[in-house]
Every structure is written in C-alpha cells, then in structure tokens.
Amino acid sequence: MSAARLLMVAVFALLPAQALAALTPYVGKGPAITGVTQTEAWVAWYTLHHQGDGFQCKMEGNTNLPTLTLSSSVATSTAQDSNCSRYHKVHLTGLTPGTHYTFSLDMGYDASTPATGEFTTAPAGPKSFDFIVYGDNRDDRVGATSTRADHQAAVDAILAREHPAFLLHTGDFALNIAAVSGDDNGYTEFFDVERPLIRALPLYSVFGNHESIDSTFYDGLLSAQKLANAANPYYTSLDWGQVHVVLLNSFEGPSNLTQLGAHDPLLSDAQAAWADADMAAAKAAGKLIFVLSHQGAFSYGTGAHGGSPDVQSKIIPLMLKYGALAVFGGHDHYYQRGHEGCVDYMVVGGGGAPMYDPDPGAAGVIKAAKIISYMVVHIAGSSASAEVKDTQGNVIDSITFTQASCNPPPPPDAGQPAVDASQPAGPDASTSTDSGLPGPDSGNGATLDAGTSGNAAGGAPVGCSCSSSGSFPVLGLGLLGLALQRRRR
C-alpha cells in the first residue's frame, strides 16, 4: 500500500462517526435521461461523494453499489453500477416502444428527498407530438450580475405550459470556467435549475464551445455518445416517430489557449461524410429531417459570433440534397429566424445566458427578438410548425415549415415588431459548489435489460441557385461564446 493510501486510511480511521456520515453520497447532479430510443435509454447521475466498489469508497464507508430501480406497467427491474465514482450511469435496454417508465435511485437528494425520474420511449411509428428547442442558459459569472433568474424563468415556463416528448438543447450548459464558476464549473447551478425538467424528459444536446473548455460534466452526465464510449462522441442523430434530428459538433477545432482552451470552430470532412450518409438514410425512411448545431448556419447581431462557415459550406448542401426542414443553432444569445442559402434557419439562444443584440435589418432576417425564450415544435402527420414563446407564454414568432425555396419568404405580420428588446431581469442567485471533482469513470457502468427482471451486471447570399434535383420525400414540407472578460468567441 502506498504512503498516500496509508495516510488516508489513518485519517479516515480517526474521523468521528458524524464526520463519516457527512460523506453520504447523496445525489448532487441529475439524474439526466438521454440517448432514448424505442428500446434503449441512458440514465446518469452524480453523487456528492464516492459510491461503489473500490478503495476510495471503502475509505469513505460508501460501499453500497449505486442502484437504479426501473418500473413500468408490466415489470420492475434493478441495475447496479459497481464503479467507485461520483459519476454513475445505467444503460437501459430491452425497453418497449412508446412506453412510460419510472425509476428511483438508491440515494436521494438528501436524507428525506428521494431521487426519482420518468421518461417515455420513442414511439414505434408516426405520432403527433411536440418537442422543445432551447439552450445557451449558462450563468454569467464574469459580470457582476447573475443571469440565473432568466434561466429559471425559461425552465419554469416550459414546465408550466408545455408537454413535449423530448428536449433539444443548443449547448452551453454552464460557463465552465473554474476560476469564475467554482470547482464545479457552474454545473451545480445548471442541475439545480433544470432538475425537475431533465428528470422527466429525454434530453438531447449538441456540444458547445463552453462544453469544449472542460467536458468532464458533459461527458459524464449529458452525452449519450460518451456514456456509450462511442467513437464519435459529439455528433449523432435521433429518431422520434417520423422526426429525424441530426446533432452536429461545430467545435472540432484544436484547443485555443487564448480562449481558456475552448476548441476552435470546425466541422470536419469526416463529420460531413457521416452527416451525408445519415441524412440519406433518413430521407430513404421518409423522415422529417431537422439539423441542430451549437453554432448554426447563419446569425446576425451586434457583437455576435455569427454563423458557422463550415455548416454553411458542408451541411447546407446536404439539407438541400435530402430535403431537411430547418437548421437550429444557438451560440448567439437571442432569437432570430431567417431564410438564406435556400434554407430556413433559427437561432434559439435565449435560454438564460446574458443577451446579445440581434440585427433585424440583416439581409434574409425575418424575425429577431432579444428576449429569454424557447421554441415549441409541433409535429402532426406530415406537417411541422413551431411557436417561439417568452417566459410569460406570449408567442413572439410562429413558423410553418414549408418546401425548400429560393424565393424570398413573406414578411412578418403587420403590426408585429421585428425586434423585441425587452429582457426579464432577475435577482442574483448564488450557487453551491463541490470540491475535488474526479472525472467520470470511463467504464461501462451498468446495463439493465428491461426484458428480464432482476439485477443486471454491472456567408451565402440571400436566396441561391438551387442545384439539387429530384423530389423531396416529405410532401408539403421543406427546409427550413465565450462571454469572458467582455470578449466573445
């Protein structure tokens, strides 16, 4: 045994019983539900202290294996994650399409509050449903004023007014700068605010520039691809009924030390080739295709990041080729909708981060609003539409996704302002932090096959010359930063 371990043994041996009790591994972050398909799901959570089978857990007296109990209308099963860690994950397999499941964890949020969750698997076929697009809700810990209240207002509005099947997050969950955000990089705040939302709905997200500074929490709790040890952990796609969403990584560039290690914007040729094959398969299956990227195709604002040249050059042609409906982005903290390069784009970045100023007069811009907001996409048969709402439930934009066209779109409704410069303000709210955080365990966690009971082992011009040919598979449908030291990236 090493000298360090001998010292640790001695220290723990001298701790009184009440001190050891304080090391109880209550749930501090999560649970989060992601990677949900018709038959699979991932559930991940983070405990305040180690739990599982290993030396550290023995020293802290937390040797009970993290356990998830899954229940449906027909069966109850359990799974355990044996890794001694603060990060815990369970892979649920053998699930039934379109089925509602509930689960509970062995440790609660505290001594009297159990940690529970619920989700519904993807349907076996076409179905009418809604989904939410939101994000960029990191708090601004660079400035003197917290924006947590804005994030809270957005989450509260979704909880109070919407009934979505799942959530699409545009990225930038937390500021993710330890020197400013604390040892937890701001993720404690994110999970505190989002807990009632993400414990009840599947969450799918894209990798933002702030995630790229330090991806530890994102990898261990929010990325199904990382949880599954996938070769390409930050881009993937999802299918829900007749909808197919392509989730891109627009920050594959190298780390930029002048930006605290955040990765530079880049979408690789390898990812573009994957997206080509992925959209081809979706088109062949007759899916309604959407694209989600943290830095989207286009964006116009004062001091804003703007659109991604790689998404413009590598993804827009694929959207035309395969009849995608729209590309959603974030990165710039406002709402903006426009039509450029023959596609409809939306910047949905008003989830709670400090607001930027959109440019309503930029060519191709149809609607712009500087306001905390989110989008609700409605799917009904072969039609798709959306509403963008503020935190009071007011509809600030309505969209009908139509066939791709190089003709200019209609102007916004008369009497409706092009820009809403209002912004809800909230009081400062402090966050709690954890210290000495280890990275997520790289093991496989636990896999639970719900088919059996018992424990499981552990810049283009407006319009364009559309060169794509052939009919689209969906009739009546079409295309749709670091705020650090006052420097945006």
Side-chain angles (χ1 to χ4, degrees), residues 76-351:
T76 297
S77 304
T78 61
Q80 294 176 321
D81 180 1
S82 62
N83 295 312
C84 179
S85 179
R86 296 181 184 179
Y87 294 86
H88 306 291
K89 59 183 179 180
V90 170
H91 187 199
L92 305 173
T93 62
L95 306 179
T96 302
T99 299
H100 188 72
Y101 291 90
T102 61
F103 64 86
S104 61
L105 306 180
D106 62 313
M107 300 304 301
Y109 297 117
D110 52 43
S112 60
T113 309
T116 62
E118 60 185 308
F119 65 95
T120 300
T121 49
K127 185 178 180 180
S128 295
F129 60 91
D130 294 346
F131 64 88
I132 297 291
V133 184
Y134 77 125
D136 285 277
N137 41 38
R138 63 174 179 80
D139 192 11
D140 182 13
R141 288 298 173 183
V142 175
T145 303
S146 169
T147 59
R148 173 173 175 160
D150 295 336
H151 179 198
Q152 185 74 62
V155 170
D156 288 348
I158 295 171
L159 286 167
R161 298 184 177 90
E162 314 304 338
H163 302 281
F166 60 87
L167 307 166
L168 281 185
H169 197 285
T170 61
D172 280 5
F173 294 85
L175 188 61
N176 210 10
I177 302 172
V180 179
S181 309
D183 290 332
D184 75 331
N185 290 357
Y187 277 94
T188 292
E189 176 177 272
F190 169 80
F191 283 103
D192 283 352
V193 173
E194 297 265 346
R195 178 187 292 173
L197 190 60
I198 64 173
R199 62 168 289 281
L201 290 167
L203 174 70
Y204 307 88
S205 63
V206 288
F207 194 66
N209 58 302
H210 280 267
E211 279 72 63
S212 76
I213 299 172
D214 180 352
S215 64
T216 304
F217 279 111
Y218 184 79
D219 292 348
L221 297 171
L222 299 167
S223 171
Q225 292 292 91
K226 265 294 187 179
L227 295 174
N229 298 318
N232 300 312
Y234 301 132
Y235 57 85
T236 185
S237 59
L238 72 95
D239 289 293
W240 199 282
Q242 60 271 53
V243 166
H244 181 84
V245 184
V246 182
L247 306 171
L248 301 174
N249 177 15
S250 53
F251 287 90
E252 291 187 291
S255 296
N256 187 331
L257 296 181
T258 65
Q259 298 290 340
L260 296 182
H263 286 234
D264 286 332
L266 177 70
L267 193 150
S268 66
D269 291 342
Q271 184 180 173
W274 166 85
D276 193 341
D278 182 76
M279 285 195 234
K283 177 182 178 180
K287 298 286 188 177
L288 313 181
I289 304 173
F290 294 93
V291 176
L292 181 68
S293 176
H294 179 64
Q295 186 173 19
F298 307 101
S299 178
Y300 300 97
T302 303
H305 301 286
S308 164
D310 282 349
V311 175
Q312 294 169 19
S313 64
K314 298 177 180 181
I315 301 301
I316 295 301
L318 299 180
M319 294 178 65
L320 291 168
K321 181 178 179 181
Y322 299 117
L325 304 183
V327 55
F328 304 127
H331 203 33
D332 288 328
H333 306 161
Y334 47 64
Y335 172 70
Q336 188 174 84
R337 173 166 65 96
H339 182 86
E340 187 166 350
C342 296
V343 303
D344 289 334
Y345 71 89
M346 291 90 189
V347 181
V348 192

Side-chain angles (χ1 to χ4, degrees), residues 16 58 98 115 148 180 245 256 262 405 410 437 474 479-480:
K58 291 177 182 178
R148 173 173 175 160
V180 179
V245 184
N256 187 331
S405 173
L437 304 181
V474 183
L479 304 171
L480 221 101

Side-chain angles (χ1 to χ4, degrees), residues 14-15 83 193 374:
L14 294 173
L15 286 175
N83 295 312
V193 173
Y374 61 90

